[in-house]
Amino acid sequence: MVRDAATRPRVLMGQRGHGAVFMPSKFVFPGGAVDAVDAEIPVANPAGTECLRRLANQSATAPEALLNAATRELWEETGLLLGAEDPRAGQIEAPRGWRGYLRTGHLPDGNALSFVFRAITPPGRPRRFDARFFLAEAERLANDPDDFSKAEDELSHLQWVPLDEVRKFDMPFITEVVLAETSAILNGTDQPGVPFFNNLDEISRFERL
């Protein structure tokens, strides 16, 4: 997430635990894995056609599930609510992971998220991920962007970090790359398409979706 994009942009980050198996103590964006139930949650507003097309490109996961997972993980890890009020929220038998979110009376707003990056971990690593990165403006949040009181304990030191200071933090390489792309987007110097570090097979490729 980004705030104050027109003045001095700040991005939302938190620190992983010292005992985490993957990337301990690193500062990262909120996020996590897609759950099977994410595909079952209806949306208040769908994402744009181009966003859905790019998410579906070379992917077996439904675009809506990816967008919903990003919304749920943001809620779980930060307590920040990205969505739109919808009366259907109170009529759904909420699956685990969505109960607190749906009790707010909101459903995911796919139109609030922009798909900005995709990266697959190269072969040979102990853990591999097919990660999609999304950008959303803090102005689209339905609650206070500085209130992290409802956050779970997966990330500590949650904070809005100025883009011009963020490289002082200890981050994974891919996070630094996504931050560079975010800066380009905010400056209007990004290239067409969504960057994709494609390591689906033994040959590493940089593509644009």
Side-chain angles (χ1 to χ4, degrees):
M1 296 209 72
V2 64
R3 66 190 298 187
D4 307 320
T7 53
R8 190 188 184 197
R10 291 182 284 164
V11 291
L12 181 61
M13 303 192 77
Q15 187 178 31
R16 292 179 59 81
H18 298 295
V21 175
F22 184 67
M23 297 191 299
S25 303
K26 297 287 188 181
F27 274 84
V28 296
F29 307 119
V34 177
D35 289 346
V37 296
D38 293 333
E40 301 172 9
I41 304 299
V43 299
N45 301 304
T49 303
E50 192 62 22
C51 176
L52 295 174
R53 183 191 68 78
R54 287 173 171 160
L55 283 170
N57 190 355
Q58 302 184 62
S59 174
T61 306
E64 293 80 5
L66 294 165
L67 291 158
N68 284 357
T71 300
R72 175 183 52 75
E73 288 286 346
L74 178 69
W75 168 255
E76 290 178 352
E77 295 192 350
T78 71
L80 298 184
L81 180 61
L82 188 67
E85 288 187 286
D86 193 302
R88 292 176 295 167
Q91 302 168 9
I92 298 171
E93 185 175 346
R96 185 175 180 180
W98 282 94
R99 292 167 189 165
Y101 182 95
L102 294 177
R103 278 198 295 268
T104 69
H106 292 73
L107 288 178
D109 183 358
N111 198 39
L113 288 161
S114 298
F115 178 34
V116 298
F117 209 95
R118 181 180 175 188
I120 299 177
T121 312
R125 304 293 176 86
R127 290 196 173 195
R128 298 188 68 198
F129 297 92
D130 185 353
R132 284 81 165 177
F133 296 85
F134 298 93
L135 188 63
E137 297 178 350
E139 290 77 11
R140 301 291 294 267
L141 290 169
N143 59 355
D144 183 353
D146 293 309
D147 181 8
F148 303 122
S149 60
K150 293 182 175 63
E152 297 181 359
D153 60 359
E154 292 184 51
L155 295 177
S156 61
H157 301 99
L158 285 164
Q159 58 192 287
W160 294 95
V161 184
L163 263 180
D164 55 11
E165 295 182 6
V166 72
R167 284 167 183 79
K168 298 177 183 178
F169 291 78
D170 183 14
M171 300 178 294
F173 169 72
I174 192 60
T175 302
E176 295 185 22
V177 175
V178 176
L179 282 167
E181 180 67 15
T182 300
S183 296
I185 291 170
L186 296 178
N187 293 332
T189 58
D190 58 311
Q191 301 300 308
V194 174
F196 177 22
F197 282 177
N198 185 351
N199 289 290
L200 279 168
D201 52 37
E202 296 298 324
I203 301 174
S204 295
R205 301 178 179 88
F206 178 75
E207 303 172 355
R208 287 190 176 268
L209 301 172

